[in-house]
Amino acid sequence: MSALSSLPEILQPKDEDIQMMLSAGVHTGTRNSDSMMTDYIWRRRNDGVHILNIGKTWEKLVLAARIIVAIENPEDVIAISARPYGMRAVLKFANYTGSNSIAGRFTPGTFTNQITKQFREPRLLVVTDPRTDSQAVKEASYVNIPVIALCDSDSPLQHVDVAIPANNKGKYSIGLMYWLLAREVLRLRGSISRAEWEVPVDLFFHRDPEELKKTEEEQGKTEDAAVVPPAPVEYEPEIPAGEDAPVDAGLAVAPVVAGAAAGYTAPAPAADYAAGGWDADAGATGGEQW
């Protein structure tokens, strides 16, 4: 890492940072290379893919963070990404650093046409890919706006002021670079310490809507399978004391009712008025007539 000798000790990368960059494929370039990116290419593999210099990537990352911190108003910094893999990273970067973002299609005339509703006058531009975001880079050159860009081995460097050599085509590489840039900006501002940042890098990675739907469906199926219906409760019949015979479950209450009614004498049946008539009733009362 002789390329990092120019940085002070406090700005030197940790082994974890280098491992994360290698795991995300930040150093992996393309088969093609631009003549202006030759200084940032370390070597070329047997399959023709160019390998970028990780040391220079970290150097330019720290330089870009120092430039962003020099802007007094964070809202004067705009992060742009027309590439789908960088949209979520740009939004998260703007959220944590306080800057603005343009995720998706860039409207021509945003920096040059004052009549449009989307007209903006930023002081600094952060671009995900100089080739995909060429319209924004071109308009920035018209109004003298400095540009920081993530540049692959085949990226054009025209009108780019600070080129960060990195893989700008992989979702993990783009998300990690914006996460490292946001962390370094907050460290230089004094918002966070040099200790570990609590925000996970996963928040900066692109998420495919179809994969999210499949994940939600799988989780729903797993939850449905985990829910087991309660087992039916079996009630055993109660047998009163002194009785050994088994009692049917449906008639378990009958012996109890019979025991409670022991010693009770049923009343005599009422007189049958339909058979005896009023004469029988009058004879029972002493033969009085009306």
Side-chain angles (χ1 to χ4, degrees):
M1 288 294 177
S2 59
L4 303 180
S5 59
S6 60
L7 293 177
E9 183 179 356
I10 194 172
L11 297 179
Q12 295 288 338
K14 298 181 180 179
D15 295 339
E16 298 176 357
D17 300 333
I18 300 299
Q19 291 177 1
M20 290 174 64
M21 294 172 70
L22 293 175
S23 300
V26 175
H27 63 291
T28 306
T30 61
R31 296 179 182 273
N32 300 326
S33 64
D34 191 89
S35 59
M36 301 183 69
M37 287 292 296
T38 305
D39 296 338
Y40 303 110
I41 297 175
W42 176 54
R43 55 169 293 185
R44 187 176 184 179
R45 295 190 314 200
N46 295 331
D47 56 355
V49 177
H50 293 83
I51 304 299
L52 302 175
N53 193 332
I54 291 291
K56 293 186 177 181
T57 300
W58 183 264
E59 258 190 351
K60 288 303 187 74
L61 181 72
V62 174
L63 176 61
R66 295 173 62 184
I67 294 174
I68 294 174
V69 173
I71 304 297
E72 297 178 359
N73 187 9
E75 295 182 356
D76 290 338
V77 180
I78 295 182
I80 297 178
S81 176
R83 189 181 293 275
Y85 285 168
M87 292 181 183
R88 183 179 176 86
V90 161
L91 294 174
K92 292 297 182 180
F93 173 81
N95 181 29
Y96 289 107
T97 59
S99 59
N100 290 321
S101 62
I102 300 178
R105 182 180 179 274
F106 178 80
T107 304
T110 302
F111 300 150
T112 56
N113 190 356
Q114 299 181 1
I115 301 177
T116 58
K117 296 180 180 179
Q118 297 87 3
F119 177 72
R120 300 184 183 183
E121 292 180 300
R123 295 186 58 189
L124 182 64
L125 209 63
V126 181
V127 174
T128 303
D129 188 355
R131 191 182 302 276
T132 308
D133 305 317
S134 59
Q135 182 66 28
V137 175
K138 184 184 296 184
E139 291 189 10
S141 67
Y142 294 159
V143 291
N144 296 327
I145 300 176
V147 176
I148 300 173
L150 300 179
C151 299
D152 211 333
S153 61
D154 60 344
S155 298
L157 299 185
Q158 295 179 355
H159 309 305
V160 175
D161 298 279
V162 178
I164 304 177
N167 179 10
N168 58 12
K169 296 176 178 60
K171 61 179 180 180
Y172 299 113
S173 175
I174 295 175
L176 177 62
M177 291 304 297
Y178 273 104
W179 182 80
L180 292 173
L181 185 60
R183 187 187 67 175
E184 196 64 30
V185 168
L186 295 178
R187 283 178 175 179
L188 295 177
R189 287 178 181 172
S191 302
I192 60 175
S193 62
R194 285 283 166 180
E196 293 295 331
W197 195 21
E198 296 180 357
V199 177
V201 67
D202 299 347
L203 295 178
F204 286 71
F205 291 159
H206 171 74
R207 296 182 179 180
D208 191 3
E210 296 181 357
E211 294 181 0
L212 290 176
K213 290 181 180 179
K214 291 181 180 179
T215 305
E216 292 178 357
E217 291 178 357
E218 292 177 358
Q219 292 179 354
K221 293 180 181 179
T222 305
E223 293 177 357
D224 295 341
V227 175
V228 179
V233 181
E234 297 181 357
Y235 295 96
E236 297 181 357
E238 298 180 0
I239 302 176
E243 295 187 9
D244 297 335
V247 183
D248 189 6
L251 304 176
V253 189
V256 180
V257 176
Y264 174 74
T265 304
D272 190 359
Y273 292 97
W278 290 103
D279 296 339
D281 193 11
T285 55
E288 295 182 359
Q289 301 287 335
W290 284 95

